[in-house]
């Protein structure tokens, strides 16, 4: 029979003989590999990997391999793989056992694809440098040219991980603990170190299988409770891939001293704020982060809305729509460089209050904010965010009612346009433009005042209960600066406030004119209304010096004409108000009023020389006859009505030159 089989083989075609030979050879190879004593290759593998990577690699106890058609399963019983000499930690990985699947065919192209990696009691030392070197890059070149394995699923039990990236301000140590009794999240972790230069602590749980960059695998659960500096975060949800933090679906709570502190941590350029506490849902798909259902508070103000952060372009883009039912004025201070007030500093439980405004003292009674505005972060991203406040409270000196603003940031240019504020029953609207691509920043403000109610703008008038009238005006200022104070100290442009007819209680103008006869009439007859014919307060502004162009208030009983300047650089005031009564009266000691001091500490008084002249005349006549002394205090009157049409026309037109040019540049802040 053997002879017959041999004859059959001999009689077959050559191609059949070749196929039979290949099959027999493959079967022999499979049988040989299945029973191959892989551990005998342990030392050759140790030497080969050490030579190729330039660092010591050792399988300390046993090597075993299970082969498949597309991939192999490699098992190391004890492994030590050293880090490069420049690394802080001696080992990249050191573990009691390691097991991983490796794709066979990509190895032909020198690509390492590891769908699954399991480490038992590992210690990992991961480090990256500013020049691109990474300890996990395999090969003697550990920069971007090194071979970096692609890892899908990673399974870890009790162990420790160190990660160092000095150029990023990151130095973290994580301890891992595995316990199957913890349900779907058996792996717990504790992290301590520094992140972005700030102290960081974190703890939480996760599934025992982490998806580094495995596509198509189900998301794994994760919890975290972290604190970086004064920022605290709690989150719970699922993550699809760790390598790019992709496929995130989580609920989160975050709080801290200021939203501005998130810039170094997350790269999102948010403004300085009062202490905050926010919660919502967080999702990430590809390069797009979304925070939806936001709700919480900034200081004493509530806030809600949705935000999106897209990192697809070279400059990331922030967009959103936020709203406050009630916004507290004290929470606006940090936006212009003022610390939070004592009312807002301690509003968030568990967050240390920042330094408050009561702890900051300015020399010379100055009040304009001098804190540097951080324009650098304006160049870090683009943005388009709308904010609306339905009601504004705690307004004190400026009776704001409501407000909304569209914030746009493009290539370092920040615009607040449109900006709409409800003030004293009227509106303050316009635009502010900050070009942070220049140093110092080019800042322009163009704002219009419409229909503000006199009674609400001046509380002393409101208390009379019979004050009516409205104010209109504009602010067009442009200049360069790095703080609110030094910008105002160098601005040029036009400021004007005008009013048509109205009326108000006569107490204020009576005392302003110091007309004694009118005071007597007020005491005998009580308060009566005074008609306002017109008023105009207009300034030409040249490099921070506000010079009165038109300073006139015309009432039925007096005309007030003022001259003078306000220096925004020194915050000094220097005005003289000359009242001209329109009726004869007795017991007048009328004399020009002087307004001096600073914006933070204004002082009022009378000019001494005219007042002394009247006093000396009264004394001289009184020496002859006491009744004649009254002659020196008789106000002859009458003051002449001003040309209201001419007054308002003059107030509406800035003087040619620096003021007009500055006003024209400021108007360019508005959208065409």
């Amino acid at each position: 029979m053997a002879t017959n089989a041999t004859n059959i083989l001999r009689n077959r075609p050559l191609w059949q003989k070749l196929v039979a030979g290949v099959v027999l050879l493959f079967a022999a190879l499979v049988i040989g590999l299945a029973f191959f004593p892989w551990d005998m290759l342990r030392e050759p593998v140790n030497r080969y990997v050490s030579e190729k990577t330039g660092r010591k690699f050792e399988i300390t106890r046993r090597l075993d391999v299970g082969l498949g058609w597309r991939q192999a399963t490699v098992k190391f019983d004890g492994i030590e793989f050293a880090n490069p000499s420049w690394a802080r930690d001696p080992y990249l990985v050191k573990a009691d056992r390691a097991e991983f699947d490796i794709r066979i065919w990509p190895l032909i192209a020198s690509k390492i694809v590891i769908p699954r990696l399991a480490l038992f009691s590992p210690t990992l030392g991961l480090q990256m440098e500013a020049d691109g070197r990474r300890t996990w890059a395999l090969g003697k070149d550990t920069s971007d040219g090194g071979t970096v394995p692609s890892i899908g699923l990673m399974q870890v039990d009790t162990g420790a991980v160190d990660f160092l990236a000095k150029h990023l301000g990151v130095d973290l140590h994580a301890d891992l603990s595995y316990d199957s009794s913890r349900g779907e999240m058996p792996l717990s972790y504790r992290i301590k170190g520094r992140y972005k230069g700030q102290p960081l602590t974190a703890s939480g749980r996760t599934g025992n299988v982490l998806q580094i960059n495995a596509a198509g695998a189900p998301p794994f659960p994760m919890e975290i409770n972290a604190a970086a500096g004064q920022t605290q975060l709690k989150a719970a949800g699922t993550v699809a891939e760790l390598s790019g933090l992709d496929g995130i679906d989580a609920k989160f709570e975050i709080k801290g001293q200021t939203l501005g502190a998130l810039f170094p941590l997350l790269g999102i350029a948010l403004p300085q704020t009062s202490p905050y506490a926010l919660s919502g849902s967080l999702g990430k798909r590809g390069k797009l982060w979304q925070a939806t259902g936001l709700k919480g508070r900034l200081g004493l103000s509530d806030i809600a809305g949705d935000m999106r952060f897209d990192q697809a372009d070279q400059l990331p883009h922030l967009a959103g729509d936020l709203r406050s039912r009630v916004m507290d004025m004290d929470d606006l201070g940090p936006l212009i460089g003022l610390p939070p007030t004592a009312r807002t500093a301690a509003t968030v439980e568990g967050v240390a209050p920042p330094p408050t405004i009561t702890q900051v003292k300015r020399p010379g009674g100055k009040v304009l904010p001098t804190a540097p505005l951080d324009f650098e972060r304006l160049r870090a991203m683009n943005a388009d965010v709308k904010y609306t406040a339905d009601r504004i409270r705690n307004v004190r000196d400026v009776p704001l009612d409501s407000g909304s603003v569209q914030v746009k940031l493009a290539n370092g240019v920040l615009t607040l346009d449109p900006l709409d504020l409800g003030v004293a029953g009227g509106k303050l609207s316009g635009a502010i433009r900050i070009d942070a691509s220049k140093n110092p920043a080019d800042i322009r403000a163009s704002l219009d005042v419409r229909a503000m109610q006199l009674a609400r703008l001046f509380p002393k008038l409101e208390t009379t209960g019979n004050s009516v009238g409205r104010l209109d005006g504009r602010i067009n200022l442009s200049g360069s600066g790095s703080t609110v104070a030094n910008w105002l100290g160098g601005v040029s442009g036009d400021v004007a406030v005008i009013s048509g007819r109205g009326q108000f209680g006569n107490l204020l103008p009576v005392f302003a004119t110091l007309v004694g006869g009118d005071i007597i009439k007020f005491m005998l007859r009580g308060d009566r209304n005074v008609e306002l014919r017109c008023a105009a307060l207009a300034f030409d502004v040249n490099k921070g010096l506000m010079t009165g162009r038109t300073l006139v208030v015309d009432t039925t009983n007096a005309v007030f004409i003022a001259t003078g300047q306000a220096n925004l650089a020194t915050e000094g005031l220097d005005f003289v108000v000359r009242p001209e009564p329109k009726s004869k009266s007795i017991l007048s000691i009328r004399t020009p009023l002087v307004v001096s001091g600073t914006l933070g500490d204004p002082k009022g008084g009378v000019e001494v020389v005219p007042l002394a002249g009247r006093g000396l005349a009264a004394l001289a006549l009184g020496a002859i006859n006491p009744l004649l002394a009254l002659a020196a205090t008789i106000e002859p009157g009458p003051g002449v009505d001003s040309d209201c049409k001419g007054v308002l026309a003059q107030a509406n037109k800035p003087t040619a030159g620096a003021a007009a040019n500055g006003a024209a540049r400021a108007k360019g802040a508005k959208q065409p």
Side-chain angles (χ1 to χ4, degrees), residues 467-642:
S467 297
V468 295
R470 54 175 274 177
L471 288 180
D472 298 287
R474 64 182 177 275
I475 299 171
N476 291 309
L477 297 174
S478 62
S480 299
S482 57
T483 71
V484 172
N486 66 27
W487 173 64
L488 288 174
V491 292
S492 296
D494 168 41
V495 176
V497 178
I498 61 177
S499 177
R501 290 187 175 274
Q503 68 178 29
F504 47 86
N506 69 354
L507 179 62
L508 188 62
V510 162
F511 279 96
T513 56
L514 298 180
V515 179
D518 282 346
I519 293 176
I520 293 175
K521 287 188 290 184
F522 170 79
M523 294 175 64
L524 294 176
R525 301 180 183 179
D527 191 19
R528 294 191 305 173
N529 291 339
V530 172
E531 181 182 351
L532 174 68
R533 298 185 66 250
C534 61
L537 304 177
F539 297 87
D540 290 325
V541 187
N542 184 4
K543 296 182 179 180
L545 187 63
M546 297 180 63
T547 302
R549 177 173 72 247
T550 305
L551 304 175
V552 176
V553 177
D554 188 349
T555 72
T556 52
N557 70 343
V559 178
F560 302 85
I561 301 176
T563 57
Q565 298 173 329
N567 191 322
L568 297 179
T570 63
E571 301 188 26
L573 302 175
D574 184 11
F575 290 95
V576 175
V577 182
R578 303 181 186 279
E580 298 291 339
K582 295 182 179 181
S583 61
K584 295 181 180 180
S585 64
I586 199 168
L587 297 178
S588 173
I589 53 173
R590 178 173 62 87
T591 190
L593 307 176
V594 176
V595 179
S596 60
T598 65
L599 295 177
D601 186 21
K603 301 181 183 302
V606 295
E607 281 194 347
V608 175
V609 174
L611 183 61
R614 287 202 171 205
L616 291 174
L619 288 174
L621 293 174
I624 302 172
N625 188 326
L627 292 178
L628 293 178
L630 292 177
T633 63
I634 293 176
E635 174 55 59
V640 179
D641 287 345
S642 63

Side-chain angles (χ1 to χ4, degrees), residues 647-663:
V647 167
L648 300 182
Q650 183 181 7
N652 271 317
K653 187 177 181 181
T655 304
N661 293 336

Side-chain angles (χ1 to χ4, degrees), residues 26-48:
F26 182 76
L29 181 61
V30 170
I31 294 172
L33 291 175
F35 293 96
F36 186 80
W38 291 100
D39 192 54
M40 66 180 295
L41 296 179
R42 179 159 48 95
E43 289 303 325
V45 168
N46 289 345
R47 290 194 298 270
Y48 177 81

Side-chain angles (χ1 to χ4, degrees), residues 59-257:
I59 306 167
T60 58
R61 291 189 292 274
R62 182 175 177 79
L63 166 66
D64 194 11
V65 178
L67 286 176
W69 174 247
R70 297 180 58 190
Q71 69 184 28
T73 298
V74 182
K75 299 178 180 180
F76 298 148
D77 188 7
I79 179 176
E80 294 179 357
F81 192 11
N83 263 324
S85 58
W86 50 264
R88 178 183 64 183
D89 296 316
Y91 292 103
L92 171 64
V93 56
K94 184 177 182 180
D96 287 345
R97 288 189 298 125
E99 181 177 311
F100 62 92
D101 299 331
I102 185 169
R103 294 283 169 80
I104 295 175
W105 302 114
L107 291 174
I108 299 175
S110 299
K111 294 182 179 179
I112 301 177
V113 179
I114 300 175
R116 182 184 65 90
L117 171 63
L119 298 172
F120 302 88
S121 300
T123 57
L124 302 176
L126 309 177
Q127 185 172 335
M128 62 186 301
E129 296 294 308
D131 57 9
R133 290 178 295 168
R134 291 160 292 175
T135 58
W136 59 93
L138 304 181
K140 293 182 180 180
D141 182 4
T142 56
S143 66
D144 287 337
T147 301
V148 178
S150 175
I151 301 174
L153 304 178
M154 183 173 179
Q155 184 174 2
V156 182
D157 66 357
T158 303
V161 180
D162 284 285
F163 180 72
L164 175 64
K166 290 182 179 179
H167 62 292
L168 300 177
V170 179
D171 186 359
L172 301 174
H173 174 83
D175 291 311
L176 310 175
S177 174
Y178 180 83
D179 186 346
S180 59
S181 66
R182 299 184 184 129
E184 66 173 2
M185 289 188 285
L187 186 65
S188 65
Y189 60 89
R190 290 187 176 276
I191 300 174
K192 188 176 182 180
R194 300 189 71 83
Y195 180 75
K196 300 295 186 179
Q198 298 189 38
L200 171 73
T201 59
S203 62
R205 300 185 302 158
T206 182
N208 66 320
V209 177
L210 310 181
Q211 290 150 213
I212 306 300
N213 53 16
F220 65 94
M222 196 169 189
E223 291 180 354
I224 186 170
N225 186 349
Q230 293 296 329
T231 303
Q232 302 174 38
L233 170 68
K234 289 183 179 181
T238 58
V239 182
E241 296 181 14
L242 280 180
S243 60
L245 284 179
D246 201 12
I248 294 177
D249 284 298
K251 300 290 185 181
F252 74 93
E253 297 177 6
I254 188 170
K255 58 185 179 180
Q257 281 188 346

